[in-house]
Amino acid sequence: MTETETNAYDVVVLGAGPVGENVADRTRAAGLTTAVVESELVGGECSYWACMPSKALLRPVIARADARRVPGLRQSVQGPLDASAVLAHRDYYTSNWKDDGQVGWLDSIGADLHRGHGRLTGPRTVTVTGPDGGERVLTARHAVAVCTGSRAALPGLPGLDAVKPWTSREATSAKAVPGRLIVIGGGVVATEMATVWQALGSQVTLLVRGKGLLPRMEPFAGELIAEALKEAGADVRTGTSVESVTRENGTVVAVTGTGERIEADEILFATGRAPRTDDIGLDSIGLDPGSWLPVDDSLRVTGHDWLYAVGDVNHRALLTHQGKYQARIAGAAIAARATGETLLAEPWGAHAATADHTAVPQVVFTDPEAAAVGLSLAEAEEAGHRVRAVDVDLSTVSGAGLYADGYQGRARMVVDIEDEILRGVTFVGPGVGELIHSATVAVAGQVPVSRLWHAVPSYPTISEVWLRLLEAYRDA
């Protein structure tokens, strides 16, 4: 390789996580030549430090919890989890942090992989600095797609770097179970990792600045999960700020706003995300390094007709599945513009990521699980919709009682009383993650309540909660 090479493509994709992979898949399917640039592992955050390892860690935890609620099984699963086996299971699902399989997939679709750090160096131009220090200049005839994702955001506490805190990456890739773990935060990462490490043998202290857990969901979701964490032995404290953190002779010491000292072996900060845009050359095209990138519904960056920002970097919905959805839309839009096809940009059109606004689903894989799609009651009211919330105790559903003795859970349906469609649905309880797609179809499809009466749930399943919700709406 010469010191500097220049390669021309139709499309250049920055970032080879699930989002970048899906953009490349769609543009290659449309016959466009595509280059993908990746500085770490092909497969990205989700494959190695987020979705896959966290769910691999959580699955044994949830399976044991479910088994303990089933007659004939509970006595057989009272002992501790085999932490070594759980961690090995996690390692398997991360392919031991090797990306050979995903590299092979990129090759199979005909996309060219360029390893190294990619930076924009002008319109439609990306310069890649390879591991050997050599540079390649990639030019894009039609589009550059920024799919670099996000990273954990750490607070500005003095001396925090010296403490070597965990972020989501360390929490999902740790090789041993800490005896004591402090978790800072009350969102998805905080609650899932508190669930995992408490079950694997850590004494977890969860410190939450706000009033409760999972503040973006219906309040009862966080309340039920907090109760379960406490029952599992975790120390859950809300309304608690951390003013300083030090590491003394290997022990982490966190000092709260009241002056209390809490000691642990490790500390996890799960306090938000920041875009990975600080060192990708945004300044070369008049954008601010380190900023989120605003886009239209075709995922094209405002003011740049050739630049797309897909996934976490646009701050619309920081979820892998939603980023992959955006990637399918963006890839199709890039291809349509490149070939002169008519852009179908109306809401719910082939080139409009409409679901980002009204039908984003999410599952929190705690015990109990929490799953939601669309707007919460508060969000719907704030948006100006005339709505009514309908609540059902999931324990009243026959399928829930068969699923687990002493089943505890709750469901809420937020109904627009003018259009009689669903604006949002939330489930909390064991096994509800598999219910959420039915709600997603109802919300995204804007299915009228009158038609939902004809979608008959199978008996006896937990899905019969749909009938209970509709009956409660009718009878109110």
Side-chain angles (χ1 to χ4, degrees):
M1 186 184 77
T2 59
E3 185 174 347
T4 302
E5 294 181 357
T6 300
N7 298 271
Y9 294 90
D10 292 322
V11 180
V12 176
V13 179
L14 270 180
V19 174
E21 289 176 327
N22 273 266
V23 172
D25 188 37
R26 292 297 84 214
T27 56
R28 285 297 301 130
L32 302 179
T33 59
T34 302
V36 180
V37 181
E38 178 54 55
S39 61
E40 293 188 291
L41 296 175
V42 175
E45 197 81 8
C46 174
S47 298
Y48 306 103
W49 300 286
C51 314
M52 295 306 291
S54 66
K55 301 323 169 269
L57 289 168
L58 283 157
R59 180 59 196 144
V61 175
I62 303 305
R64 181 181 67 165
D66 283 345
R68 285 177 170 178
R69 300 182 183 108
V70 179
L73 270 179
R74 63 171 57 95
Q75 295 305 318
S76 301
V77 289
Q78 289 304 311
L81 287 165
D82 183 338
S84 296
V86 174
L87 296 178
H89 176 66
R90 182 269 320 273
D91 293 351
Y92 172 80
Y93 273 94
T94 61
S95 301
N96 288 289
W97 291 273
K98 296 178 181 177
D99 62 3
D100 298 7
Q102 303 224 34
V103 170
W105 178 84
L106 268 184
D107 185 60
S108 75
I109 66 169
D112 288 350
L113 173 63
H114 295 266
R115 288 196 183 271
H117 188 85
R119 294 178 181 85
L120 291 159
T121 48
R124 296 185 174 85
T125 305
V126 173
T127 298
V128 182
T129 304
D132 61 357
E135 289 188 345
R136 291 177 179 151
V137 176
L138 311 180
T139 60
R141 299 182 188 92
H142 299 292
V144 174
V146 177
C147 308
T148 48
S150 64
R151 57 175 173 78
L154 290 171
L157 293 176
L160 186 58
D161 288 347
V163 174
K164 296 183 179 179
W166 279 9
T167 67
S168 53
R169 282 199 170 197
E170 290 77 20
T172 56
S173 63
K175 299 299 184 183
V177 180
R180 300 163 298 173
L181 174 66
I182 298 171
V183 179
I184 311 295
V188 177
V189 172
T191 53
E192 288 189 347
M193 291 299 98
T195 299
V196 164
W197 293 108
Q198 181 68 36
L200 288 177
S202 291
Q203 175 53 58
V204 171
T205 301
L206 181 60
L207 304 180
V208 187
R209 181 185 293 272
K211 296 179 180 179
L213 305 182
L214 303 178
R216 295 186 179 181
M217 285 190 168
E218 299 285 7
F220 62 81
E223 291 166 4
L224 288 170
I225 290 170
E227 290 174 8
L229 280 169
K230 291 175 184 176
E231 186 176 338
D235 182 1
V236 180
R237 308 186 193 185
T238 58
T240 303
S241 63
V242 175
E243 301 301 320
S244 68
V245 180
T246 57
R247 190 180 285 272
E248 303 170 5
N249 298 319
T251 297
V252 174
V253 179
V255 180
T256 70
T258 62
E260 182 182 3
R261 290 167 54 92
I262 302 173
E263 296 186 353
D265 300 289
E266 300 291 350
I267 185 166
L268 162 63
F269 279 88
T271 49
R273 307 288 295 178
R276 290 182 179 273
T277 60
D278 52 312
D279 190 22
I280 61 168
L282 290 183
D283 52 332
S284 73
I285 56 170
L287 296 174
D288 293 330
S291 64
W292 303 102
L293 299 176
V295 295
D296 62 19
D297 277 357
S298 71
L299 291 311
R300 188 163 61 174
V301 175
T302 305
H304 296 76
D305 63 5
W306 54 272
L307 184 64
Y308 292 73
V310 194
D312 284 12
V313 290
N314 61 41
H315 208 229
R316 285 162 68 107
L318 278 66
L319 297 160
T320 295
H321 50 270
Q322 211 67 21
K324 291 165 70 174
Y325 159 73
Q326 291 177 10
R328 295 190 293 270
I329 299 293
I334 290 168
R337 288 182 172 122
T339 58
E341 295 178 16
T342 301
L343 208 68
L344 302 176
E346 70 281 357
W348 306 111
H351 307 122
T354 314
D356 286 351
H357 307 297
T358 59
V360 175
Q362 182 173 22
V363 179
V364 185
F365 293 85
T366 46
D367 177 36
E369 291 178 344
V373 63
L375 304 178
S376 67
L377 174 61
E379 288 170 336
E381 291 175 338
E382 185 178 347
H385 300 296
R386 293 185 61 225
V387 293
R388 179 153 59 88
V390 180
D391 292 337
V392 167
D393 182 345
L394 267 168
S395 68
T396 64
V397 177
S398 296
L402 290 167
Y403 188 92
D405 279 0
Y407 191 105
Q408 293 185 354
R410 186 171 170 184
R412 169 169 287 180
M413 183 172 74
V414 178
V415 184
D416 188 310
I417 58 179
E418 292 182 344
D419 298 332
E420 287 224 313
I421 60 173
L422 306 188
R423 293 292 177 186
V425 180
T426 299
F427 303 116
V428 182
V432 298
E434 297 301 333
L435 290 181
I436 200 60
H437 192 61
S438 59
T440 303
V441 171
V443 172
Q446 299 179 334
V447 182
V449 170
S450 60
R451 179 58 62 88
L452 285 174
W453 274 104
H454 298 281
V456 183
S458 298
Y459 181 86
T461 65
I462 304 176
S463 292
E464 200 179 12
V465 68
W466 280 107
L467 179 56
R468 302 284 90 84
L469 286 165
L470 292 167
E471 288 171 341
Y473 178 71
R474 176 198 62 191
D475 297 340

